[in-house]
mmCIF file of all heavy atoms in Angstrom:
data_model
loop_
_atom_site.group_PDB
_atom_site.id
_atom_site.type_symbol
_atom_site.label_atom_id
_atom_site.label_comp_id
_atom_site.label_asym_id
_atom_site.label_seq_id
_atom_site.Cartn_x
_atom_site.Cartn_y
_atom_site.Cartn_z
ATOM 1 N N GLY D 35 8.278 46.678 -26.993
ATOM 2 C CA GLY D 35 8.620 45.246 -27.271
ATOM 3 C C GLY D 35 7.394 44.437 -27.224
ATOM 4 O O GLY D 35 6.272 44.806 -26.846
ATOM 5 N N TRP D 36 7.498 43.181 -27.727
ATOM 6 C CA TRP D 36 6.529 42.190 -27.644
ATOM 7 C C TRP D 36 7.027 40.972 -26.818
ATOM 8 O O TRP D 36 8.160 40.536 -27.057
ATOM 9 C CB TRP D 36 6.220 41.724 -29.053
ATOM 10 C CG TRP D 36 5.381 42.667 -29.826
ATOM 11 C CD1 TRP D 36 5.839 43.623 -30.757
ATOM 12 C CD2 TRP D 36 3.942 42.882 -29.875
ATOM 13 N NE1 TRP D 36 4.855 44.328 -31.281
ATOM 14 C CE2 TRP D 36 3.630 43.926 -30.814
ATOM 15 C CE3 TRP D 36 2.918 42.217 -29.217
ATOM 16 C CZ2 TRP D 36 2.350 44.352 -31.062
ATOM 17 C CZ3 TRP D 36 1.627 42.674 -29.426
ATOM 18 C CH2 TRP D 36 1.304 43.742 -30.339
ATOM 19 N N TYR D 37 6.214 40.577 -25.910
ATOM 20 C CA TYR D 37 6.432 39.323 -25.165
ATOM 21 C C TYR D 37 5.318 38.297 -25.510
ATOM 22 O O TYR D 37 4.295 38.648 -25.996
ATOM 23 C CB TYR D 37 6.475 39.647 -23.646
ATOM 24 C CG TYR D 37 7.586 40.425 -23.170
ATOM 25 C CD1 TYR D 37 7.733 41.827 -23.423
ATOM 26 C CD2 TYR D 37 8.580 39.890 -22.342
ATOM 27 C CE1 TYR D 37 8.689 42.589 -23.005
ATOM 28 C CE2 TYR D 37 9.662 40.663 -21.885
ATOM 29 C CZ TYR D 37 9.711 41.920 -22.254
ATOM 30 O OH TYR D 37 10.692 42.720 -21.764
ATOM 31 N N ARG D 38 5.554 37.021 -25.115
ATOM 32 C CA ARG D 38 4.558 36.076 -25.231
ATOM 33 C C ARG D 38 4.592 35.115 -24.083
ATOM 34 O O ARG D 38 5.636 34.849 -23.502
ATOM 35 C CB ARG D 38 4.613 35.356 -26.623
ATOM 36 C CG ARG D 38 5.852 34.416 -26.750
ATOM 37 C CD ARG D 38 5.883 33.866 -28.144
ATOM 38 N NE ARG D 38 7.063 32.972 -28.371
ATOM 39 C CZ ARG D 38 7.436 32.498 -29.501
ATOM 40 N NH1 ARG D 38 6.718 32.688 -30.638
ATOM 41 N NH2 ARG D 38 8.420 31.669 -29.588
ATOM 42 N N GLN D 39 3.456 34.497 -23.837
ATOM 43 C CA GLN D 39 3.420 33.560 -22.766
ATOM 44 C C GLN D 39 2.440 32.441 -23.168
ATOM 45 O O GLN D 39 1.262 32.625 -23.458
ATOM 46 C CB GLN D 39 2.852 34.192 -21.509
ATOM 47 C CG GLN D 39 3.002 33.312 -20.336
ATOM 48 C CD GLN D 39 2.683 33.936 -18.941
ATOM 49 O OE1 GLN D 39 2.136 35.105 -18.974
ATOM 50 N NE2 GLN D 39 3.269 33.438 -17.937
ATOM 51 N N ALA D 40 3.025 31.260 -23.279
ATOM 52 C CA ALA D 40 2.231 30.007 -23.494
ATOM 53 C C ALA D 40 1.822 29.406 -22.193
ATOM 54 O O ALA D 40 2.414 29.585 -21.180
ATOM 55 C CB ALA D 40 3.017 29.024 -24.337
ATOM 56 N N PRO D 41 0.689 28.666 -22.163
ATOM 57 C CA PRO D 41 0.252 27.990 -20.908
ATOM 58 C C PRO D 41 1.358 27.197 -20.209
ATOM 59 O O PRO D 41 2.118 26.365 -20.925
ATOM 60 C CB PRO D 41 -0.875 27.148 -21.379
ATOM 61 C CG PRO D 41 -1.491 27.725 -22.648
ATOM 62 C CD PRO D 41 -0.168 28.323 -23.276
ATOM 63 N N GLY D 42 1.567 27.487 -18.989
ATOM 64 C CA GLY D 42 2.576 26.650 -18.296
ATOM 65 C C GLY D 42 3.954 27.058 -18.441
ATOM 66 O O GLY D 42 4.875 26.466 -17.888
ATOM 67 N N LYS D 43 4.223 28.118 -19.233
ATOM 68 C CA LYS D 43 5.539 28.625 -19.472
ATOM 69 C C LYS D 43 5.682 30.001 -19.022
ATOM 70 O O LYS D 43 4.685 30.795 -18.808
ATOM 71 C CB LYS D 43 5.775 28.479 -20.981
ATOM 72 C CG LYS D 43 5.771 27.181 -21.567
ATOM 73 C CD LYS D 43 6.223 27.090 -23.000
ATOM 74 C CE LYS D 43 7.826 27.432 -23.077
ATOM 75 N NZ LYS D 43 8.268 27.452 -24.444
ATOM 76 N N GLU D 44 6.950 30.393 -18.850
ATOM 77 C CA GLU D 44 7.138 31.829 -18.350
ATOM 78 C C GLU D 44 7.078 32.780 -19.539
ATOM 79 O O GLU D 44 7.335 32.417 -20.698
ATOM 80 C CB GLU D 44 8.587 31.874 -17.739
ATOM 81 C CG GLU D 44 8.732 32.982 -16.684
ATOM 82 C CD GLU D 44 9.723 32.650 -15.673
ATOM 83 O OE1 GLU D 44 9.425 31.813 -14.756
ATOM 84 O OE2 GLU D 44 10.841 33.098 -15.684
ATOM 85 N N ARG D 45 6.732 34.012 -19.217
ATOM 86 C CA ARG D 45 6.645 35.026 -20.265
ATOM 87 C C ARG D 45 8.089 35.313 -20.804
ATOM 88 O O ARG D 45 9.019 35.410 -19.989
ATOM 89 C CB ARG D 45 6.006 36.347 -19.707
ATOM 90 C CG ARG D 45 5.810 37.377 -20.728
ATOM 91 C CD ARG D 45 5.026 38.557 -20.178
ATOM 92 N NE ARG D 45 3.737 38.150 -19.567
ATOM 93 C CZ ARG D 45 2.892 38.963 -19.083
ATOM 94 N NH1 ARG D 45 3.106 40.362 -19.146
ATOM 95 N NH2 ARG D 45 1.720 38.546 -18.563
ATOM 96 N N GLU D 46 8.166 35.414 -22.078
ATOM 97 C CA GLU D 46 9.447 35.517 -22.743
ATOM 98 C C GLU D 46 9.362 36.693 -23.711
ATOM 99 O O GLU D 46 8.434 37.040 -24.333
ATOM 100 C CB GLU D 46 9.895 34.185 -23.555
ATOM 101 C CG GLU D 46 8.965 33.863 -24.691
ATOM 102 C CD GLU D 46 9.471 32.725 -25.450
ATOM 103 O OE1 GLU D 46 10.654 32.382 -25.325
ATOM 104 O OE2 GLU D 46 8.700 32.087 -26.255
ATOM 105 N N LEU D 47 10.611 37.383 -23.827
ATOM 106 C CA LEU D 47 10.664 38.439 -24.776
ATOM 107 C C LEU D 47 10.740 37.844 -26.224
ATOM 108 O O LEU D 47 11.573 36.938 -26.515
ATOM 109 C CB LEU D 47 12.063 39.247 -24.409
ATOM 110 C CG LEU D 47 12.275 40.395 -25.447
ATOM 111 C CD1 LEU D 47 11.204 41.458 -25.396
ATOM 112 C CD2 LEU D 47 13.632 40.968 -25.128
ATOM 113 N N VAL D 48 9.968 38.448 -27.089
ATOM 114 C CA VAL D 48 9.958 38.056 -28.473
ATOM 115 C C VAL D 48 10.726 39.009 -29.251
ATOM 116 O O VAL D 48 11.598 38.528 -30.107
ATOM 117 C CB VAL D 48 8.516 37.955 -29.009
ATOM 118 C CG1 VAL D 48 8.508 37.585 -30.441
ATOM 119 C CG2 VAL D 48 7.688 36.944 -28.254
ATOM 120 N N ALA D 49 10.532 40.198 -29.215
ATOM 121 C CA ALA D 49 11.248 41.281 -29.913
ATOM 122 C C ALA D 49 11.084 42.601 -29.297
ATOM 123 O O ALA D 49 10.237 42.848 -28.534
ATOM 124 C CB ALA D 49 10.712 41.379 -31.436
ATOM 125 N N VAL D 50 12.175 43.391 -29.462
ATOM 126 C CA VAL D 50 12.151 44.769 -28.961
ATOM 127 C C VAL D 50 12.749 45.757 -29.997
ATOM 128 O O VAL D 50 13.522 45.339 -30.768
ATOM 129 C CB VAL D 50 12.992 44.928 -27.701
ATOM 130 C CG1 VAL D 50 14.414 44.433 -27.907
ATOM 131 C CG2 VAL D 50 12.894 46.182 -26.881
ATOM 132 N N VAL D 51 12.280 46.983 -29.957
ATOM 133 C CA VAL D 51 12.714 48.043 -30.874
ATOM 134 C C VAL D 51 12.953 49.285 -29.862
ATOM 135 O O VAL D 51 12.090 49.661 -29.141
ATOM 136 C CB VAL D 51 11.830 48.354 -31.987
ATOM 137 C CG1 VAL D 51 10.431 48.716 -31.585
ATOM 138 C CG2 VAL D 51 12.439 49.415 -32.895
ATOM 139 N N THR D 52 14.143 49.764 -29.959
ATOM 140 C CA THR D 52 14.514 50.909 -29.088
ATOM 141 C C THR D 52 14.024 52.220 -29.781
ATOM 142 O O THR D 52 13.609 52.202 -30.957
ATOM 143 C CB THR D 52 15.976 51.072 -28.776
ATOM 144 O OG1 THR D 52 16.743 51.337 -30.062
ATOM 145 C CG2 THR D 52 16.507 49.682 -28.338
ATOM 146 N N SER D 53 14.162 53.253 -29.009
ATOM 147 C CA SER D 53 13.807 54.595 -29.578
ATOM 148 C C SER D 53 14.676 55.021 -30.773
ATOM 149 O O SER D 53 14.310 55.804 -31.627
ATOM 150 C CB SER D 53 13.907 55.676 -28.451
ATOM 151 O OG SER D 53 15.113 55.738 -27.959
ATOM 152 N N SER D 54 15.842 54.477 -30.818
ATOM 153 C CA SER D 54 16.814 54.772 -31.918
ATOM 154 C C SER D 54 16.571 53.803 -33.092
ATOM 155 O O SER D 54 17.232 54.077 -34.132
ATOM 156 C CB SER D 54 18.235 54.625 -31.442
ATOM 157 O OG SER D 54 18.553 53.342 -31.083
ATOM 158 N N GLY D 55 15.702 52.818 -32.939
ATOM 159 C CA GLY D 55 15.412 51.942 -34.096
ATOM 160 C C GLY D 55 16.135 50.656 -34.064
ATOM 161 O O GLY D 55 15.956 49.805 -34.942
ATOM 162 N N THR D 56 16.956 50.454 -33.012
ATOM 163 C CA THR D 56 17.682 49.234 -32.900
ATOM 164 C C THR D 56 16.697 48.082 -32.508
ATOM 165 O O THR D 56 15.857 48.250 -31.688
ATOM 166 C CB THR D 56 18.722 49.277 -31.867
ATOM 167 O OG1 THR D 56 19.654 50.178 -32.232
ATOM 168 C CG2 THR D 56 19.515 47.880 -31.712
ATOM 169 N N THR D 57 16.748 46.930 -33.205
ATOM 170 C CA THR D 57 15.905 45.810 -32.939
ATOM 171 C C THR D 57 16.633 44.567 -32.365
ATOM 172 O O THR D 57 17.895 44.453 -32.718
ATOM 173 C CB THR D 57 15.091 45.384 -34.260
ATOM 174 O OG1 THR D 57 15.943 45.040 -35.222
ATOM 175 C CG2 THR D 57 14.230 46.609 -34.689
ATOM 176 N N ASN D 58 15.904 43.715 -31.763
ATOM 177 C CA ASN D 58 16.563 42.514 -31.195
ATOM 178 C C ASN D 58 15.416 41.523 -31.144
ATOM 179 O O ASN D 58 14.210 41.783 -30.861
ATOM 180 C CB ASN D 58 17.179 42.633 -29.831
ATOM 181 C CG ASN D 58 18.215 41.571 -29.551
ATOM 182 O OD1 ASN D 58 18.545 40.716 -30.451
ATOM 183 N ND2 ASN D 58 18.648 41.574 -28.356
ATOM 184 N N TYR D 59 15.727 40.248 -31.341
ATOM 185 C CA TYR D 59 14.806 39.191 -31.462
ATOM 186 C C TYR D 59 15.193 37.978 -30.718
ATOM 187 O O TYR D 59 16.338 37.697 -30.529
ATOM 188 C CB TYR D 59 14.542 38.759 -32.885
ATOM 189 C CG TYR D 59 13.960 39.866 -33.802
ATOM 190 C CD1 TYR D 59 14.953 40.658 -34.496
ATOM 191 C CD2 TYR D 59 12.645 40.020 -34.022
ATOM 192 C CE1 TYR D 59 14.441 41.683 -35.308
ATOM 193 C CE2 TYR D 59 12.167 41.072 -34.790
ATOM 194 C CZ TYR D 59 13.151 41.871 -35.433
ATOM 195 O OH TYR D 59 12.620 42.877 -36.323
ATOM 196 N N ALA D 60 14.283 37.310 -30.218
ATOM 197 C CA ALA D 60 14.534 35.932 -29.632
ATOM 198 C C ALA D 60 14.962 35.079 -30.683
ATOM 199 O O ALA D 60 14.596 35.136 -31.831
ATOM 200 C CB ALA D 60 13.214 35.373 -28.963
ATOM 201 N N ASP D 61 15.925 34.125 -30.401
ATOM 202 C CA ASP D 61 16.467 33.241 -31.411
ATOM 203 C C ASP D 61 15.316 32.409 -32.127
ATOM 204 O O ASP D 61 15.471 32.083 -33.263
ATOM 205 C CB ASP D 61 17.543 32.271 -30.773
ATOM 206 C CG ASP D 61 18.745 32.951 -30.375
ATOM 207 O OD1 ASP D 61 19.019 34.066 -30.959
ATOM 208 O OD2 ASP D 61 19.518 32.438 -29.509
ATOM 209 N N SER D 62 14.228 32.088 -31.380
ATOM 210 C CA SER D 62 13.253 31.266 -31.916
ATOM 211 C C SER D 62 12.431 31.866 -32.953
ATOM 212 O O SER D 62 11.708 31.235 -33.742
ATOM 213 C CB SER D 62 12.392 30.790 -30.830
ATOM 214 O OG SER D 62 11.729 31.851 -30.112
ATOM 215 N N VAL D 63 12.520 33.267 -33.000
ATOM 216 C CA VAL D 63 11.691 34.001 -34.024
ATOM 217 C C VAL D 63 12.497 34.709 -35.090
ATOM 218 O O VAL D 63 11.976 35.312 -36.106
ATOM 219 C CB VAL D 63 10.669 34.988 -33.360
ATOM 220 C CG1 VAL D 63 9.820 34.228 -32.384
ATOM 221 C CG2 VAL D 63 11.397 36.182 -32.744
ATOM 222 N N LYS D 64 13.803 34.801 -34.923
ATOM 223 C CA LYS D 64 14.665 35.570 -35.773
ATOM 224 C C LYS D 64 14.520 34.996 -37.172
ATOM 225 O O LYS D 64 14.609 33.878 -37.371
ATOM 226 C CB LYS D 64 16.113 35.525 -35.295
ATOM 227 C CG LYS D 64 16.968 36.580 -35.818
ATOM 228 C CD LYS D 64 18.327 36.599 -35.091
ATOM 229 C CE LYS D 64 19.175 37.829 -35.576
ATOM 230 N NZ LYS D 64 20.419 37.940 -34.778
ATOM 231 N N GLY D 65 14.375 35.998 -38.081
ATOM 232 C CA GLY D 65 14.226 35.619 -39.471
ATOM 233 C C GLY D 65 12.816 35.399 -39.910
ATOM 234 O O GLY D 65 12.525 35.440 -41.114
ATOM 235 N N ARG D 66 11.872 35.272 -38.896
ATOM 236 C CA ARG D 66 10.540 35.063 -39.251
ATOM 237 C C ARG D 66 9.635 36.316 -38.822
ATOM 238 O O ARG D 66 8.723 36.551 -39.515
ATOM 239 C CB ARG D 66 9.966 33.813 -38.629
ATOM 240 C CG ARG D 66 10.642 32.556 -38.952
ATOM 241 C CD ARG D 66 10.001 31.285 -38.464
ATOM 242 N NE ARG D 66 10.073 31.238 -36.947
ATOM 243 C CZ ARG D 66 8.956 31.192 -36.220
ATOM 244 N NH1 ARG D 66 7.760 31.287 -36.681
ATOM 245 N NH2 ARG D 66 9.140 31.191 -34.862
ATOM 246 N N PHE D 67 10.037 36.915 -37.764
ATOM 247 C CA PHE D 67 9.258 38.038 -37.216
ATOM 248 C C PHE D 67 9.950 39.412 -37.381
ATOM 249 O O PHE D 67 11.245 39.376 -37.395
ATOM 250 C CB PHE D 67 9.074 37.877 -35.688
ATOM 251 C CG PHE D 67 8.074 36.746 -35.311
ATOM 252 C CD1 PHE D 67 7.635 35.777 -36.118
ATOM 253 C CD2 PHE D 67 7.728 36.678 -33.932
ATOM 254 C CE1 PHE D 67 6.788 34.754 -35.767
ATOM 255 C CE2 PHE D 67 6.808 35.664 -33.561
ATOM 256 C CZ PHE D 67 6.401 34.687 -34.491
ATOM 257 N N THR D 68 9.228 40.417 -37.616
ATOM 258 C CA THR D 68 9.794 41.710 -37.733
ATOM 259 C C THR D 68 9.026 42.662 -36.840
ATOM 260 O O THR D 68 7.855 42.762 -36.973
ATOM 261 C CB THR D 68 9.725 42.153 -39.202
ATOM 262 O OG1 THR D 68 10.462 41.265 -40.060
ATOM 263 C CG2 THR D 68 10.468 43.556 -39.334
ATOM 264 N N ILE D 69 9.779 43.431 -36.037
ATOM 265 C CA ILE D 69 9.215 44.412 -35.243
ATOM 266 C C ILE D 69 9.434 45.788 -35.760
ATOM 267 O O ILE D 69 10.539 46.009 -36.391
ATOM 268 C CB ILE D 69 9.720 44.371 -33.704
ATOM 269 C CG1 ILE D 69 8.920 45.366 -32.836
ATOM 270 C CG2 ILE D 69 11.224 44.676 -33.627
ATOM 271 C CD1 ILE D 69 9.226 45.159 -31.386
ATOM 272 N N SER D 70 8.450 46.694 -35.704
ATOM 273 C CA SER D 70 8.595 48.153 -36.235
ATOM 274 C C SER D 70 7.681 48.995 -35.424
ATOM 275 O O SER D 70 6.825 48.516 -34.662
ATOM 276 C CB SER D 70 8.247 48.130 -37.715
ATOM 277 O OG SER D 70 6.886 47.758 -37.934
ATOM 278 N N ARG D 71 8.024 50.237 -35.523
ATOM 279 C CA ARG D 71 7.153 51.226 -34.797
ATOM 280 C C ARG D 71 7.006 52.485 -35.676
ATOM 281 O O ARG D 71 7.706 52.827 -36.573
ATOM 282 C CB ARG D 71 7.953 51.645 -33.512
ATOM 283 C CG ARG D 71 9.345 52.301 -33.673
ATOM 284 C CD ARG D 71 10.047 52.480 -32.430
ATOM 285 N NE ARG D 71 9.510 53.432 -31.514
ATOM 286 C CZ ARG D 71 9.792 53.515 -30.277
ATOM 287 N NH1 ARG D 71 10.769 52.776 -29.699
ATOM 288 N NH2 ARG D 71 9.256 54.422 -29.416
ATOM 289 N N ASP D 72 5.856 53.053 -35.379
ATOM 290 C CA ASP D 72 5.465 54.282 -36.018
ATOM 291 C C ASP D 72 5.262 55.311 -34.960
ATOM 292 O O ASP D 72 4.206 55.322 -34.195
ATOM 293 C CB ASP D 72 4.070 54.106 -36.770
ATOM 294 C CG ASP D 72 3.707 55.348 -37.636
ATOM 295 O OD1 ASP D 72 4.101 56.480 -37.226
ATOM 296 O OD2 ASP D 72 3.042 55.204 -38.699
ATOM 297 N N ASN D 73 6.187 56.143 -34.753
ATOM 298 C CA ASN D 73 6.110 57.074 -33.587
ATOM 299 C C ASN D 73 4.985 58.096 -33.659
ATOM 300 O O ASN D 73 4.419 58.507 -32.645
ATOM 301 C CB ASN D 73 7.471 57.806 -33.432
ATOM 302 C CG ASN D 73 8.675 56.890 -33.049
ATOM 303 O OD1 ASN D 73 8.381 55.945 -32.236
ATOM 304 N ND2 ASN D 73 9.802 57.204 -33.506
ATOM 305 N N ALA D 74 4.696 58.471 -34.914
ATOM 306 C CA ALA D 74 3.629 59.425 -35.123
ATOM 307 C C ALA D 74 2.221 58.830 -34.640
ATOM 308 O O ALA D 74 1.432 59.557 -34.218
ATOM 309 C CB ALA D 74 3.522 59.860 -36.591
ATOM 310 N N LYS D 75 2.128 57.605 -34.712
ATOM 311 C CA LYS D 75 0.877 56.906 -34.327
ATOM 312 C C LYS D 75 1.002 56.247 -32.836
ATOM 313 O O LYS D 75 0.066 55.556 -32.500
ATOM 314 C CB LYS D 75 0.536 55.720 -35.297
ATOM 315 C CG LYS D 75 0.094 56.373 -36.705
ATOM 316 C CD LYS D 75 -0.341 55.338 -37.708
ATOM 317 C CE LYS D 75 -0.731 55.886 -38.950
ATOM 318 N NZ LYS D 75 -1.164 54.871 -40.005
ATOM 319 N N SER D 76 2.201 56.342 -32.282
ATOM 320 C CA SER D 76 2.405 55.691 -31.038
ATOM 321 C C SER D 76 2.132 54.155 -31.102
ATOM 322 O O SER D 76 1.492 53.683 -30.134
ATOM 323 C CB SER D 76 1.729 56.396 -29.919
ATOM 324 O OG SER D 76 2.082 57.780 -29.762
ATOM 325 N N THR D 77 2.562 53.518 -32.194
ATOM 326 C CA THR D 77 2.163 52.200 -32.463
ATOM 327 C C THR D 77 3.349 51.338 -32.710
ATOM 328 O O THR D 77 4.382 51.745 -33.363
ATOM 329 C CB THR D 77 1.199 52.107 -33.646
ATOM 330 O OG1 THR D 77 0.058 52.904 -33.307
ATOM 331 C CG2 THR D 77 0.820 50.697 -33.937
ATOM 332 N N VAL D 78 3.354 50.130 -32.232
ATOM 333 C CA VAL D 78 4.407 49.207 -32.514
ATOM 334 C C VAL D 78 3.744 48.042 -33.167
ATOM 335 O O VAL D 78 2.625 47.644 -32.780
ATOM 336 C CB VAL D 78 5.274 48.756 -31.244
ATOM 337 C CG1 VAL D 78 4.355 48.139 -30.275
ATOM 338 C CG2 VAL D 78 6.367 47.843 -31.606
ATOM 339 N N TYR D 79 4.453 47.450 -34.173
ATOM 340 C CA TYR D 79 3.914 46.233 -34.936
ATOM 341 C C TYR D 79 4.793 45.064 -34.762
ATOM 342 O O TYR D 79 5.957 45.150 -34.524
ATOM 343 C CB TYR D 79 3.781 46.599 -36.447
ATOM 344 C CG TYR D 79 2.997 47.900 -36.731
ATOM 345 C CD1 TYR D 79 3.690 49.095 -36.842
ATOM 346 C CD2 TYR D 79 1.586 47.830 -36.866
ATOM 347 C CE1 TYR D 79 2.920 50.257 -37.160
ATOM 348 C CE2 TYR D 79 0.912 48.999 -37.110
ATOM 349 C CZ TYR D 79 1.585 50.165 -37.275
ATOM 350 O OH TYR D 79 0.802 51.361 -37.582
ATOM 351 N N LEU D 80 4.173 44.025 -34.928
ATOM 352 C CA LEU D 80 4.960 42.732 -35.031
ATOM 353 C C LEU D 80 4.370 41.857 -36.191
ATOM 354 O O LEU D 80 3.295 41.361 -36.148
ATOM 355 C CB LEU D 80 4.787 41.885 -33.764
ATOM 356 C CG LEU D 80 5.674 40.560 -33.665
ATOM 357 C CD1 LEU D 80 7.169 40.973 -33.629
ATOM 358 C CD2 LEU D 80 5.301 39.682 -32.491
ATOM 359 N N GLN D 81 5.208 41.916 -37.292
ATOM 360 C CA GLN D 81 4.904 41.067 -38.449
ATOM 361 C C GLN D 81 5.395 39.662 -38.202
ATOM 362 O O GLN D 81 6.621 39.486 -38.060
ATOM 363 C CB GLN D 81 5.460 41.650 -39.645
ATOM 364 C CG GLN D 81 5.209 40.852 -40.977
ATOM 365 C CD GLN D 81 3.762 40.879 -41.444
ATOM 366 O OE1 GLN D 81 3.108 41.891 -41.334
ATOM 367 N NE2 GLN D 81 3.216 39.589 -41.691
ATOM 368 N N MET D 82 4.472 38.714 -38.232
ATOM 369 C CA MET D 82 4.845 37.347 -37.941
ATOM 370 C C MET D 82 4.632 36.507 -39.237
ATOM 371 O O MET D 82 3.498 36.401 -39.622
ATOM 372 C CB MET D 82 3.991 36.814 -36.771
ATOM 373 C CG MET D 82 4.137 37.553 -35.434
ATOM 374 S SD MET D 82 3.335 36.811 -34.069
ATOM 375 C CE MET D 82 1.572 36.996 -34.630
ATOM 376 N N ASN D 83 5.650 35.956 -39.795
ATOM 377 C CA ASN D 83 5.614 35.096 -40.940
ATOM 378 C C ASN D 83 6.019 33.695 -40.623
ATOM 379 O O ASN D 83 6.724 33.502 -39.560
ATOM 380 C CB ASN D 83 6.510 35.671 -41.910
ATOM 381 C CG ASN D 83 6.069 37.051 -42.462
ATOM 382 O OD1 ASN D 83 4.815 37.314 -42.439
ATOM 383 N ND2 ASN D 83 6.987 37.868 -42.838
ATOM 384 N N SER D 84 5.675 32.761 -41.485
ATOM 385 C CA SER D 84 6.076 31.317 -41.241
ATOM 386 C C SER D 84 5.894 30.850 -39.830
ATOM 387 O O SER D 84 6.612 30.287 -39.222
ATOM 388 C CB SER D 84 7.589 31.202 -41.529
ATOM 389 O OG SER D 84 7.967 31.633 -42.858
ATOM 390 N N LEU D 85 4.609 31.082 -39.524
ATOM 391 C CA LEU D 85 4.126 30.789 -38.130
ATOM 392 C C LEU D 85 4.162 29.306 -37.914
ATOM 393 O O LEU D 85 3.890 28.498 -38.768
ATOM 394 C CB LEU D 85 2.846 31.325 -37.834
ATOM 395 C CG LEU D 85 2.865 32.845 -37.492
ATOM 396 C CD1 LEU D 85 1.454 33.459 -37.632
ATOM 397 C CD2 LEU D 85 3.439 33.128 -36.087
ATOM 398 N N LYS D 86 4.558 28.893 -36.688
ATOM 399 C CA LYS D 86 4.658 27.514 -36.230
ATOM 400 C C LYS D 86 3.725 27.277 -35.019
ATOM 401 O O LYS D 86 3.366 28.285 -34.331
ATOM 402 C CB LYS D 86 6.137 27.237 -35.853
ATOM 403 C CG LYS D 86 7.098 27.416 -36.845
ATOM 404 C CD LYS D 86 8.526 27.227 -36.328
ATOM 405 C CE LYS D 86 9.576 27.491 -37.394
ATOM 406 N NZ LYS D 86 10.982 27.304 -36.822
ATOM 407 N N PRO D 87 3.289 26.053 -34.868
ATOM 408 C CA PRO D 87 2.434 25.785 -33.607
ATOM 409 C C PRO D 87 3.100 26.220 -32.402
ATOM 410 O O PRO D 87 2.336 26.638 -31.505
ATOM 411 C CB PRO D 87 2.306 24.237 -33.655
ATOM 412 C CG PRO D 87 2.380 24.020 -35.191
ATOM 413 C CD PRO D 87 3.414 24.921 -35.749
#
Side-chain angles (χ1 to χ4, degrees):
W36 289 94
Y37 291 72
R38 68 185 182 187
Q39 188 168 24
K43 300 187 67 177
E44 207 150 288
R45 187 173 300 185
E46 63 175 345
L47 177 66
V48 176
V50 62
V51 56
T52 69
S53 59
S54 64
T56 300
T57 60
N58 201 8
Y59 300 89
D61 289 340
S62 59
V63 307
K64 196 169 187 176
R66 300 187 297 120
F67 291 11
T68 302
I69 189 171
S70 61
R71 63 192 289 171
D72 185 335
N73 292 326
K75 296 181 178 180
S76 297
T77 301
V78 62
Y79 305 95
L80 185 67
Q81 178 66 47
M82 305 185 295
N83 298 326
S84 301
L85 283 162
K86 305 174 181 179

